Amino acid sequence: MRILHTSDWHIGRSFHGHATLDALSGVLDEMVAQVREHEVDVVVLAGDVFDSAAPAASCYGVLTDTLLALSDTGAQVIVTSGNHDSAARLGFQSALLRAGITVITDPGSVGTPVTIADSHGPVHFYGIPYLEPAIVRHRWEGVELRSQAQTMSHAMGLVRDDLARRGGRSVVAAHCFAAGVEATPGVEREIRQGSLDVVPLSSFDGPDYVALGHIHGRQQLSPRVRYAGAPLHYSFGEGDKPRGSWLVALDADGLEAVTWLELPVPRRLVTLRGPLEQLLEDPAYAADEDAWVSVQYTDPTPQLDPMRRLQRRFPYCATVAHLPAMRDTADQRDYADRVRPARNDAELFDAFLTHVRAGEGASEQEHDLIREVVDARTLTEATA
């Protein structure tokens, strides 16, 4: 059996104010083509189908069209909800879809598989929707569920109990923050704060393969426990992470092989750092003119209207930050220590500029301007 593991489509998410729906649709079309090319039997989508609990109508169109296209290849499709999804809205969608497309949003279904057979016998697919401890703990009386670790461990216990009765091969799809994962700073919003939300890797013992969602970059926590990541870049922090899906092969004994299938990147993401004029003029950056660009310009002082000037060369410049280059890392004096030796107002200005510019004082032109202002003030006070 061939299984495609994907997750975190985040249909409807914007990228620094820019819509991503068309770009995501194109990437998902390529995914459908890969499913057909590799004769995939089952597609597993492990949560965060939408980016919000109340997606726009156009987002439902993208989801429905993609699920139907995947089904048209002959593959069966199993979808679970993530922490970004509204389980109620996503679950309502499932009733309108054709046979062979299963959307799992009900916590009460945990431990009840979707069973699909191949030439070697049945494969049990256990979907675990995102489980918020405070919401689901009433479903299982007598069980302490105060953290993601406890909740996911209980859910996996239900899976293992059912699998022990049924026997055969199995796949789990879940959405959580598992121990050992490397999150992208500023990208993955943890379900809650603190280490209690980290699910131990041992919680996933048992199944032949565990398809996880929530992390936007592909990761292998063990040969049988993996994140596929998002199919589209949603942050500059993800720029160096490939986009794609895991193609999972099961044989008669269980997990046989896992292969990465690369997806196209509609527009590259790059972060450029340097003096503003250099970024605007240097031919070395010509290859980045059609990319999504995040600029960190290092001039000692803020420059006028940097975004407008940059977008003349880089039409897809999305962010600009002024991060002056550190010039005097050896001098660790605080502001009071810097200005204390100043003998007059001109030296006080220079000490201030040296402090805020990380070691670079006033230029010759600025020195002339400072002296002019100080002299004019002194003259005004003397004649007052």
Side-chain angles (χ1 to χ4, degrees):
M1 180 177 289
R2 293 188 182 94
I3 302 161
L4 189 82
H5 167 198
T6 179
S7 71
D8 295 274
W9 289 4
H10 286 281
I11 303 172
R13 173 172 272 190
S14 62
F15 180 79
H16 295 280
H18 300 269
T20 63
L21 210 55
D22 289 343
L24 178 61
S25 295
V27 172
L28 294 178
D29 286 345
E30 180 61 28
M31 181 184 293
V32 171
Q34 292 177 343
V35 168
R36 182 176 289 107
E37 176 188 353
H38 293 278
E39 298 180 331
V40 171
D41 300 295
V42 184
V43 176
V44 174
L45 171 50
D48 278 357
V49 179
F50 294 118
D51 189 57
S52 73
S58 55
C59 298
Y60 285 99
V62 170
L63 175 62
T64 301
D65 290 348
T66 304
L67 294 182
L68 294 178
L70 289 170
S71 179
D72 286 341
T73 68
Q76 297 202 47
V77 183
I78 298 173
V79 181
T80 61
S81 53
N83 61 298
H84 279 253
D85 299 309
S86 163
R89 287 188 173 90
L90 193 59
F92 175 79
Q93 173 93 351
S94 66
L96 308 178
L97 296 170
R98 67 175 64 157
I101 302 176
T102 304
V103 181
I104 301 171
T105 62
D106 181 8
S109 67
V110 173
T112 302
V114 176
T115 300
I116 301 171
D118 64 5
S119 59
H120 301 296
V123 178
H124 307 297
F125 289 83
Y126 294 91
I128 302 178
Y130 167 62
L131 302 174
E132 174 61 52
I135 295 175
V136 302
R137 64 170 62 113
H138 71 280
R139 290 180 172 268
W140 296 293
E141 294 183 5
V143 181
E144 184 178 6
L145 301 178
R146 297 187 177 277
S147 68
Q148 281 289 310
Q150 292 172 326
T151 305
M152 187 60 68
S153 295
H154 177 68
M156 284 300 303
L158 297 176
V159 168
R160 283 188 288 268
D161 289 346
D162 184 81
L163 185 58
R165 291 190 295 269
R166 295 176 188 273
R169 297 160 294 163
S170 62
V171 173
V172 165
H175 196 87
C176 67
F177 198 98
V181 77
E182 294 181 7
T184 304
V187 179
E188 290 89 15
R189 289 172 285 183
E190 291 192 26
I191 295 172
R192 287 182 182 273
Q193 297 297 319
S195 60
L196 291 179
D197 294 307
V198 177
V199 179
L201 190 58
S202 60
S203 298
F204 300 108
D205 290 348
D208 294 289
Y209 184 78
V210 178
L212 294 179
H214 185 54
I215 300 301
H216 285 196
R218 70 173 183 188
Q219 296 205 30
Q220 175 182 326
L221 304 185
S222 79
R224 41 174 291 282
V225 182
R226 301 173 188 245
Y227 286 94
L232 197 67
H233 288 118
Y234 289 115
S235 165
F236 283 102
E238 304 172 19
D240 61 344
K241 299 179 184 296
R243 306 288 88 172
S245 310
W246 292 113
L247 180 62
V248 181
L250 300 183
D251 60 16
D253 298 319
L255 185 62
E256 178 185 28
V258 183
T259 307
W260 178 251
L261 296 183
E262 197 91 12
L263 283 170
V265 175
R267 193 178 303 284
R268 291 187 307 114
L269 280 71
V270 297
T271 298
L272 305 180
R273 180 176 173 84
L276 185 60
E277 288 303 322
Q278 178 182 328
L279 297 174
L280 293 172
E281 304 294 340
D282 194 333
Y285 300 112
D288 301 319
E289 291 174 359
D290 194 44
W292 287 116
V293 172
S294 175
V295 167
Q296 301 171 355
Y297 72 93
T298 59
D299 301 64
T301 58
Q303 301 298 295
L304 290 175
D305 207 1
M307 176 64 86
R308 180 182 59 81
R309 294 164 65 189
L310 284 161
Q311 286 182 338
R312 289 176 181 171
R313 182 176 190 186
F314 307 103
Y316 301 100
C317 181
T319 70
V320 177
H322 177 223
L323 298 176
M326 297 296 291
R327 297 181 180 276
D328 188 6
T329 57
D331 190 347
Q332 299 296 321
R333 291 179 297 167
D334 61 19
Y335 178 64
D337 288 337
R338 286 183 185 273
V339 300
R340 190 174 292 114
R343 294 166 297 182
N344 52 51
D345 287 344
E347 290 186 1
L348 184 63
F349 273 109
D350 188 60
F352 169 77
L353 292 174
T354 300
H355 181 72
V356 299
R357 293 177 179 177
E360 181 175 303
S363 66
E364 183 177 345
Q365 183 179 6
E366 288 169 335
H367 273 300
D368 292 341
L369 180 60
I370 290 170
R371 282 194 296 269
E372 181 181 335
V373 171
V374 170
D375 290 346
R377 179 174 177 271
T378 301
L379 179 62
T380 300
E381 290 177 345
T383 59

